[in-house]
Amino acid sequence: MKIIGTGRANPAKIVTNAMLEEFLDTSDEWIRERTGMTERHVISNEKLEDLAAEAARKAIEDAGITPEDIDYIICSNVVNEYITPGLSCIIQGAIGAKCACVDVNAACSGFIYALDMADDRIKSGKAKTILVVAAEEPTRMVDWKDRSICVLFGDGAGAAVVTEGDALICSRLTTVSKTECLHYVRTLEPTPYITKQEESKPMFMNGREVFKTAVLSSSRDIRTLLDKAGLQPGDIKYYILHQANMRIIESICGQLKLDMSHFPTNVAHYGNTSSASVAILLDELNRDGKLHKGDKLLLSAFGAGFTTGACIIEWTK
Ligand code: ACO
């Protein structure tokens, strides 16, 4: 496959660190030093499906195609108001496409899993042009009284249109079942037969454990892919990493002995938008004219599961 268009949409409400100081025992200094974040976009009166559809429309416009040209939609999403139908089905209706749709939940690695699935579907000849959307509202999963977690997240959607091509040089997906490290549990409807204890709880995350695992696994994925492609770290124009924490990105940069010019970031302004983060950053680079034909990009993300996804893509637009 190759990427022919990108888009993004973020909620209008911007919550600064100073605004968090008003109701949490935290400080702008702590948040900036520990995470690199200064502000984040947070859903207020918007619906996630509207942001997802807006990102999709922009990607379709950027690709110079129409919704009728799309023959599959994959949406990466962890939570939204609907348990069912999938967000991909709602996006299909909103943009006026007529094709099969599916949602994928690989947590923050989801956009890369979805790109990989799109490549498989195109390779198999089952689809020609696929819309991949990553839309997330992690701010609805966390306890806003817990300073150790709510400051970290923001909401948003990113999208890419992919079609036939050979720009996906290689990819790597891994999963290690490690639910104790990061999870979010909701109760379902009661039945007359349920006897087990159930309780809804906000997202739980062992921050230090996630930090260590993220740096190790992302660095391992990057090295594996560079070896597979026969490339040196400096051959990659941009490492487009999951925007979870500036210190994680800097640690990975340090492991590769590169300077930060290869590591574009937007975590300062968006926070961690889960699987949307890589898609949003890709769109920013595209729209800012920073991507040129032939550039090699390495996308890498990690998330609950514990999942990781990484791929090397040549920019062909
Ligand atoms: N403001 C002020 N103090 C705080 C805050 C806050 N917002 N949050 C925690 N603290 C305090 C703690 O209470 C602790 O105080 P103590 O020493 O008196 O006990 C102190 O700061 C240090 O806390 P740590 O948790 O050790 O801080 P750390 O340097 O590890 O940073 C952080 C925490 C930012 C969560 C870091 O561990 C991290 O980024 N982990 C990875 C998180 C991540 O990437 N998550 C996403 C992964 S997957 C996905 O995207 C869903």
Side-chain angles (χ1 to χ4, degrees):
M1 61 89 158
K2 62 179 181 187
I3 296 176
I4 57 169
T6 66
R8 71 177 188 276
N10 289 94
K13 177 110 191 142
I14 294 174
V15 176
T16 62
N17 293 347
M19 288 159 79
L20 297 173
E21 283 176 354
E22 288 168 16
F23 63 94
L24 284 171
D25 178 17
T26 190
S27 65
D28 173 52
E29 191 189 3
W30 191 97
I31 301 172
R32 271 190 291 109
E33 276 179 10
R34 302 287 178 125
T35 70
M37 295 167 197
T38 58
E39 59 190 17
R40 66 285 292 143
H41 292 246
V42 174
I43 284 221
S44 53
N45 60 352
E46 300 98 341
K47 284 181 175 291
L48 187 64
E49 66 249 38
D50 295 333
L51 296 175
E54 187 185 332
R57 280 190 208 99
K58 287 180 179 166
I60 291 165
E61 193 189 346
D62 187 41
I65 61 164
T66 66
E68 293 80 49
D69 297 322
I70 294 166
D71 44 24
Y72 202 57
I73 299 175
I74 308 175
C75 180
S76 161
N77 171 253
V78 177
V79 293
N80 73 96
E81 283 175 47
Y82 286 87
I83 298 289
T84 194
L87 206 46
S88 54
C89 305
I90 302 173
I91 296 168
Q92 190 228 48
I95 65 172
K98 294 177 184 62
C99 59
C101 302
V102 70
D103 279 22
V104 46
N105 178 352
C108 306
S109 313
F111 181 64
I112 297 171
Y113 273 70
L115 286 178
D116 198 69
M117 287 165 66
D119 184 58
D120 287 344
R121 200 154 177 91
I122 289 171
K123 268 197 196 119
S124 73
K126 289 185 175 163
K128 195 174 160 211
T129 303
I130 300 182
L131 171 66
V132 177
V133 185
E136 303 282 12
E137 48 184 334
T139 68
R140 303 301 305 277
M141 296 160 65
V142 295
D143 178 357
W144 279 79
K145 291 188 282 308
D146 182 350
R147 66 178 184 175
S148 70
I149 195 156
C150 70
V151 304
L152 303 174
F153 293 94
D155 305 316
V161 174
V162 306
T163 192
E164 291 164 313
D166 53 8
L168 183 75
I169 296 168
C170 53
S171 65
R172 175 180 162 88
L173 308 177
T174 76
T175 304
V176 177
S177 181
K178 218 173 173 183
T179 50
E180 71 285 358
C181 170
L182 179 53
H183 57 253
Y184 174 57
V185 178
R186 305 303 289 170
T187 56
L188 303 177
E189 299 303 317
T191 78
Y193 313 108
I194 291 294
T195 53
K196 57 193 173 173
Q197 288 292 319
E198 290 181 330
E199 196 189 348
S200 285
K201 289 187 209 136
M203 187 202 290
F204 170 84
M205 181 177 71
N206 179 337
R208 284 188 179 182
E209 189 59 29
V210 171
F211 193 106
K212 277 188 285 177
T213 313
V215 174
L216 285 174
S217 56
S218 229
S219 308
R220 176 210 59 204
D221 286 356
I222 291 169
R223 285 214 182 83
T224 305
L225 287 186
L226 290 173
D227 280 355
K228 210 166 163 181
L231 295 171
Q232 296 302 313
D235 295 333
I236 300 293
K237 176 78 179 288
Y238 291 126
Y239 290 82
I240 303 177
L241 304 189
H242 175 35
Q243 302 289 297
N245 183 317
M246 195 65 188
R247 287 189 297 143
I248 293 179
I249 299 167
E250 286 168 350
S251 301
I252 295 168
C253 171
Q255 300 249 346
L256 292 167
K257 301 192 172 36
L258 287 172
D259 64 74
M260 279 297 283
S261 63
H262 288 272
F263 290 77
T265 67
N266 62 15
V267 65
H269 302 293
Y270 293 103
N272 177 348
T273 57
S274 187
S275 74
S277 84
V278 166
I280 290 171
L281 183 54
L282 180 68
D283 181 60
E284 275 193 338
L285 293 168
N286 178 25
R287 282 173 197 266
D288 291 351
K290 300 226 170 97
L291 304 180
H292 301 105
K293 208 172 176 156
D295 284 349
K296 293 196 173 53
L297 310 174
L298 198 153
L299 281 48
S300 173
F302 54 86
F306 196 88
T307 63
T308 76
C311 62
I312 299 178
I313 291 181
E314 185 167 316
W315 194 250
T316 51
K317 236 171 101 59

